[in-house]
């Protein structure tokens, strides 16, 4: 990936995220190094290795302090250190207020437009503000002495960091990628006024603000237009002028490492497991459908189950034609709404299975745990159908992972029109997950789709995906950020750090 590191141009790259790329975890007296799951870490780690930068993140592992020096530094990757991880320490009350509280009980539901779960507590906001200041201070310390640093902030956990860093590191190039949706003004204004204005001004501390979709970018600009009196918006250039500076707002749809997922699916072990899954679940001409989600109210899992129940209730002839395998990874279980949802999913699966099960057929197979990437690739490869029924989603990479792993080009993708991926993927069958009757009818129609049509649609989706990988996403963002850099005078080269 030399062209990506060249776009950084020898400048100190400081990446900032809530999640760290490596964590030290002690269990039974033994410490191991783990890489938290997620495509973002997998994509950004190679970039950091090639730029000799610094990654600032929350030290979440229970043995992280022991592995780091007094400043929270630890060289990574452990097998071949090439950049520095700077850990930020949080105590339990800060984790509860900043992460579980404001980030995931206020910002997350607000941005996904779930007002019923929106809880903007003042104590949580104060913790969020203080933790963002601590991240900003860590960034400033890492930028000290660096010539012309580039600071790249990730996601909604750190909405206030850029504005604070702007005051601490004048002249730095600062940009931020917002991974989740951004709501329109009538929803955003549910946020208490002082908090909402502070969030918008914090985000306007960036030189470049990056969203998944054009819709999210437009929503952000509309919120600024209504709530920031001094802001001047140029809709054609998608720029905001406020407090004497300019923020450019653009959409950069994220993707995946396509070759990585294809490679997983083509491994002999994955091919063998895919064959075993088909042998187990597709007897007597049955089809295998899959869905893969974190257990989150935004993913439409209960709506999906209601549609399956309705389909089998209305169409007895379909009762033994489909096995639905649901991978539902527990998430944020410390929050009551998530724990309750986990229990509801189990209860509904048990109820539907009890209602329709026969001696040789179990309608729904639930895997309520985290599944390794190689096993997941085999599940994707084995499937005849993948259903993504998100009620709101910034992008949803499950859709793209499924396409990459469909090396046999047999599967059909049913994709919520409310996932960002629906704006990119041509060849998927778009569905409205709020319309339970329509979703049930869509499942019925999908089961009857001829194999030749499935192959043609999947081949097209796979071709398009190869032309828009996570490395293309990285390249487009780094290029756009690079274009915003002040250009040195003729004959002067930027200093290297």
């Amino acid at each position: 990936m030399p062209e990506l590191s060249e776009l950084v141009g020898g400048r100190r790259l400081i990446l900032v995220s809530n999640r760290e790329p490596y964590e030290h975890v002690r269990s039974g007296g033994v410490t191991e190094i783990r890489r938290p799951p997620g495509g973002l870490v997998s994509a950004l780690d190679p970039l950091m290795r090639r730029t000799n930068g610094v990654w600032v993140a929350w030290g979440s592992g229970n043995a992280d302090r022991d592995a780091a020096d007094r400043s929270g530094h630890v060289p990574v990757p452990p097998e071949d250190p090439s950049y520095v991880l700077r850990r930020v320490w949080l105590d339990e009350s800060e984790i509860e207020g900043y992460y579980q509280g404001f980030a995931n009980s206020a910002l997350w539901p607000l941005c996904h437009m779930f007002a019923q779960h929106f809880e903007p507590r003042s104590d949580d906001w104060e913790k969020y503000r203080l933790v963002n200041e601590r991240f900003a201070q860590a960034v400033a310390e890492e930028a000290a002495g660096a010539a012309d640093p580039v600071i790249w902030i990730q996601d909604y956990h750190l909405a206030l960091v850029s504005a604070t860093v702007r005051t601490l590191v004048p002249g730095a190039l600062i940009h931020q990628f917002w991974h989740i949706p951004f709501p329109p003004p009538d929803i955003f204004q549910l946020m208490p006024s002082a908090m909402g204005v502070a969030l918008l001004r914090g985000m306007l501390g960036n030189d470049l603000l990056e969203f998944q979709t054009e819709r999210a970018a437009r929503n952000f600009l509309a919120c600024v237009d209504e709530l920031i009196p001094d802001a001047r918006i140029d809709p054609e250039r998608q720029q905001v002028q406020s407090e004497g500076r300019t923020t450019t707002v653009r959409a950069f749809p994220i993707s995946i490492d396509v070759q990585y997922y294809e490679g997983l699916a083509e491994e002999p072990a994955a091919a063998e497991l895919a064959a075993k899954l088909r042998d187990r679940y597709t007897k007597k001409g049955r089809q295998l459908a899959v869905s893969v989600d974190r257990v989150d109210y935004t993913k439409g899992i209960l709506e999906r189950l209601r549609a399956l129940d309705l389909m089998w209730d209305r169409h007895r002839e379909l009762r033994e034609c489909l096995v639905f395998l649901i991978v539902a990874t527990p998430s944020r279980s410390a929050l009551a709404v998530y724990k309750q949802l986990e229990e509801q999913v189990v209860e509904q699966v048990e109820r539907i299975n009890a209602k329709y099960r026969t001696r040789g057929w179990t309608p729904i197979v639930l895997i309520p745990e985290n599944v390794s990437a190689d096993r997941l690739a085999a599940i994707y490869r084995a499937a005849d159908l993948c259903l993504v029924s998100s009620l709101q989603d910034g992008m949803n990479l499950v859709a793209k992972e499924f396409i990459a792993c469909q090396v046999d080009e047999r599967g059909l993708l049913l994709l919520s029109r409310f996932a960002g991926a629906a704006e990119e993927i041509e060849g998927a069958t778009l569905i409205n997950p709020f319309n339970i009757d329509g979703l049930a009818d869509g499942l019925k129609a999908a089961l009857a789709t001829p194999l030749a049509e499935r192959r043609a649609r999947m081949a097209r989706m796979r071709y398009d995906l190869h032309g828009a990988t996570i490395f293309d996403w990285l390249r487009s963002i780094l290029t756009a950020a690079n274009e915003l850099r002040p250009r040195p005078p003729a004959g002067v080269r930027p200093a290297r750090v």
Side-chain angles (χ1 to χ4, degrees):
M1 195 173 25
E3 67 274 20
L4 294 179
S5 57
E6 287 170 7
L7 286 171
V8 179
R11 303 167 72 173
R12 168 67 60 86
L13 175 61
I14 303 173
L15 186 70
V16 195
S17 67
N18 175 70
R19 176 177 290 181
E20 60 181 341
Y22 300 90
E23 61 180 4
H24 290 76
V25 179
R26 183 183 298 108
S27 178
V30 178
T31 298
E32 63 176 334
I33 301 172
R34 297 178 184 172
R35 294 189 62 179
L40 183 67
V41 168
S42 299
L44 296 181
D45 181 65
L47 174 67
M48 296 301 290
R49 295 187 193 202
R50 287 165 170 80
T51 56
N52 192 32
V54 180
W55 191 322
V56 179
W58 164 35
S60 55
N62 61 12
D64 275 357
R65 284 184 182 269
D66 295 337
D69 66 15
R70 294 177 61 183
S71 299
H73 293 134
V74 58
V76 292
E79 68 278 6
D80 182 23
S82 53
Y83 69 94
V84 173
L85 171 59
R86 162 69 185 273
R87 286 168 169 158
V88 174
W89 309 120
L90 306 179
D91 63 31
E92 288 300 321
S93 69
E94 290 167 334
I95 295 168
E96 183 177 351
Y98 145 77
Y99 180 73
Q100 297 175 3
F102 193 79
N104 289 313
S105 297
L107 266 180
W108 177 270
L110 182 74
C111 288
H112 287 85
M113 296 187 284
F114 278 80
Q116 67 271 36
H117 297 306
F118 175 56
E119 297 182 14
R121 307 296 299 272
S122 57
D123 288 349
D124 292 342
W125 165 251
E126 184 63 15
K127 287 291 195 307
Y128 182 88
R129 187 183 65 78
L130 290 173
V131 169
N132 271 241
E133 285 185 2
R134 190 175 306 163
F135 270 89
Q137 185 60 48
V139 171
E141 291 170 3
E142 298 305 325
D148 215 15
V150 177
I151 298 161
W152 192 15
I153 303 163
Q154 301 295 319
D155 224 358
Y156 65 101
H157 311 89
L158 305 171
L160 306 178
V161 169
S162 61
T164 305
V165 170
R166 177 70 56 199
T167 65
L168 298 174
V169 192
L173 175 65
I174 309 173
H175 59 118
Q176 182 168 9
F177 190 82
W178 192 269
H179 290 258
I180 65 177
F182 202 89
D186 56 340
I187 299 295
F188 187 80
Q189 289 183 86
L190 295 174
M191 183 71 73
S193 179
M195 298 180 191
V197 170
L199 287 165
L200 293 177
R201 288 202 180 277
M203 296 170 73
L204 289 173
N206 290 286
D207 294 292
L208 176 65
L209 187 56
E210 306 133 5
F211 291 96
Q212 298 275 22
T213 64
E214 293 290 350
R215 180 184 294 110
R218 289 195 302 269
N219 285 345
F220 174 79
L221 291 172
C223 289
V224 170
D225 192 35
E226 290 203 18
L227 296 174
I228 307 298
D230 66 297
R232 298 294 178 266
I233 297 175
D234 183 336
E236 292 187 4
R237 296 185 178 181
Q238 289 189 293
Q239 291 181 332
V240 181
Q241 291 186 344
S242 176
E243 298 183 325
R245 54 177 322 282
T246 300
T247 301
T248 300
V249 181
R250 289 182 56 188
F252 297 89
I254 199 170
S255 191
I256 62 171
D257 184 343
V258 180
Q259 291 185 344
Y260 169 75
Y261 282 97
E262 279 187 338
L264 286 178
E266 290 174 338
E267 285 286 336
E272 182 180 354
L273 178 55
K276 288 181 178 179
L277 290 171
R278 292 197 59 78
D279 182 62
R280 182 185 309 166
Y281 296 123
T282 63
K283 296 176 180 177
K284 299 181 179 180
R286 292 177 187 139
Q287 296 187 51
L288 174 63
V290 302
S291 64
V292 178
D293 304 280
R294 289 183 306 103
V295 179
D296 191 290
Y297 50 78
T298 66
K299 301 301 182 181
I301 302 174
L302 294 180
E303 288 76 8
R304 184 184 314 154
L305 292 171
R306 288 174 58 197
L308 285 168
D309 187 7
L310 181 61
M311 182 187 72
W312 283 318
D313 183 64
R314 285 180 173 175
H315 304 285
R316 297 181 64 90
E317 72 279 9
L318 299 180
R319 289 190 182 178
E320 295 202 36
C321 291
L322 173 69
V323 173
F324 208 111
L325 192 156
I326 297 178
V327 177
T329 304
S331 173
R332 302 170 188 162
S333 300
L335 295 176
V337 64
Y338 286 87
K339 188 64 177 177
Q340 181 182 31
L341 181 58
E342 290 174 18
E343 295 169 354
Q344 290 175 325
V345 169
V346 172
E347 289 171 0
Q348 290 305 308
V349 168
E350 291 177 347
R351 181 187 64 79
I352 293 171
N353 281 341
K355 183 176 179 180
Y356 299 112
R357 180 189 286 116
T358 64
R359 176 175 292 183
W361 174 63
T362 299
I364 302 174
V365 178
L366 177 65
I367 304 178
E369 61 191 36
N370 188 44
V371 174
S372 65
D374 51 351
R375 185 182 176 200
L376 198 57
I379 291 172
Y380 286 139
R381 179 172 180 174
D384 298 291
L385 172 70
C386 179
L387 174 58
V388 175
S389 59
S390 307
L391 305 178
Q392 286 291 334
D393 228 331
M395 177 53 60
N396 193 288
L397 294 180
V398 165
K400 298 186 177 185
E401 292 170 4
F402 172 69
I403 294 169
C405 292
Q406 272 283 305
V407 293
D408 302 314
E409 297 186 347
R410 175 179 49 241
L412 193 67
L413 175 62
L414 269 67
L415 177 60
S416 167
R417 63 179 68 252
F418 304 111
E423 297 185 14
E424 281 201 286
I425 299 175
E426 294 187 24
T429 298
L430 298 185
I431 52 98
N432 179 353
F434 293 93
N435 179 1
I436 304 301
D437 293 86
L439 181 51
D441 291 341
L443 284 165
K444 179 176 182 292
L447 292 173
T449 303
L451 181 59
E453 180 181 340
R454 296 182 187 210
R455 290 193 185 280
R457 292 167 70 173
M458 182 54 69
R460 178 181 181 181
M461 290 188 288
R462 285 174 54 77
Y463 176 83
D464 290 344
L465 186 61
H466 274 275
T469 72
I470 190 130
F471 302 110
D472 296 302
W473 173 78
L474 278 169
R475 187 177 297 106
S476 62
I477 288 178
L478 293 178
T479 298
N482 205 36
E483 291 172 351
L484 296 175
R485 292 164 52 178
R487 300 203 177 273
V492 177
R493 301 182 66 181
R496 289 184 174 268
V497 178

